[in-house]
């Protein structure tokens, strides 16, 4: 019986067993993919480029949200006030109010951080695909109630809207 040349050069003449060269290429590809997966960050933290709004390290975002969530969950008004950039203009009882510092924020905390807003903050996912970022900053909450921007070397709340 005479052997015929295979139509595919990477297969044996009978078309059943890959030739050694094809097998080695597949092994090399698999090894390269395994190396890429091993060196790719897998921390669950945002890895996107947010330099367009002044955030050089994407890991700052979930760290900030975690600090905010802890402070809100603990009812720590001072800790939340330290995460705010001042002056902050917000709405209190239907009126725009400018808060000039932490003391003013703490004084009006219960009017600003309503139960609906607290629930929204606490429900914010830390998954990169669930964190919305645009030129306004980082949105915290389900309806854009809180916006965060860099303030010096740290992220700070730049805006709090009515829920």
């Amino acid at each position: 019986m005479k052997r015929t040349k295979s139509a595919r050069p990477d297969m044996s003449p009978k078309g059943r067993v890959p030739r050694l060269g094809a097998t080695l290429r597949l092994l090399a590809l698999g090894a390269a993919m395994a190396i890429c997966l091993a060196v790719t960050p897998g921390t669950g933290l945002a890895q996107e480029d947010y330099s367009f709004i002044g955030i050089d390290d994407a890991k700052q975002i979930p760290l900030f949200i975690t600090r905010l969530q802890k402070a809100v969950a603990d009812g720590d008004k001072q800790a939340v006030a330290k995460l705010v950039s001042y002056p902050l203009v917000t709405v209190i009882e239907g009126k725009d109010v400018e808060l000039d510092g932490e003391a003013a924020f703490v004084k009006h905390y219960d009017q600003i951080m309503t139960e609906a807003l607290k629930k929204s903050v606490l429900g914010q996912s830390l998954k990169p695909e669930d964190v919305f970022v645009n030129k306004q900053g980082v949105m915290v909450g389900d309806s854009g109630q809180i916006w965060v921007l860099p303030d010096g070397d740290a992220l700070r709340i730049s805006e709090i809207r009515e829920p």
Side-chain angles (χ1 to χ4, degrees):
M1 188 159 152
K2 187 177 179 184
R3 286 191 169 174
T4 60
K5 200 170 192 179
S6 172
R8 291 185 54 200
D10 61 338
M11 299 295 286
S12 68
K14 295 203 180 217
R16 292 186 191 149
V17 181
R19 291 194 179 181
L20 183 59
T23 302
L24 290 176
R25 283 193 298 274
L26 287 173
L27 286 173
L29 177 62
M33 289 174 62
I35 290 169
C36 287
L37 289 173
V39 299
T40 301
T43 60
L45 301 178
Q47 299 298 322
E48 287 79 13
D49 178 11
Y50 299 121
S51 60
F52 69 97
I53 59 168
I55 298 174
D56 295 325
D57 184 2
K59 293 176 186 171
Q60 286 181 294
I61 295 171
L63 292 174
F64 178 86
I65 294 170
T66 300
R67 278 194 304 268
L68 177 60
Q69 288 175 328
K70 180 176 180 356
V72 169
D74 293 346
D76 190 341
K77 298 174 184 183
Q78 289 289 338
V80 176
K82 290 183 184 309
L83 298 175
V84 175
S85 179
Y86 299 99
L88 175 74
V89 176
T90 190
V91 177
I92 298 174
E93 297 176 358
K95 298 177 187 171
D96 285 347
V97 177
E98 183 175 304
L99 306 175
D100 58 358
E102 292 177 24
F105 186 88
V106 170
K107 178 180 176 184
H108 296 286
Y109 181 86
D110 293 324
Q111 296 161 307
I112 298 167
M113 296 299 291
T114 63
E115 290 304 314
L117 184 54
K118 290 177 192 177
K119 183 179 178 182
S120 181
V121 168
L122 294 174
Q124 175 66 55
S125 169
L126 299 178
K127 294 178 186 175
E129 62 270 17
D130 295 336
V131 177
F132 181 76
V133 181
N134 67 15
K135 64 182 181 177
Q136 286 181 253
V138 178
M139 183 178 85
V140 179
D142 53 19
S143 300
Q145 297 96 332
I146 294 180
W147 287 88
V148 177
L149 281 170
D151 184 9
D153 291 337
L155 293 179
R156 301 246 185 262
I157 295 171
S158 60
E159 186 175 351
I160 299 178
R161 298 180 183 166
E162 286 184 273

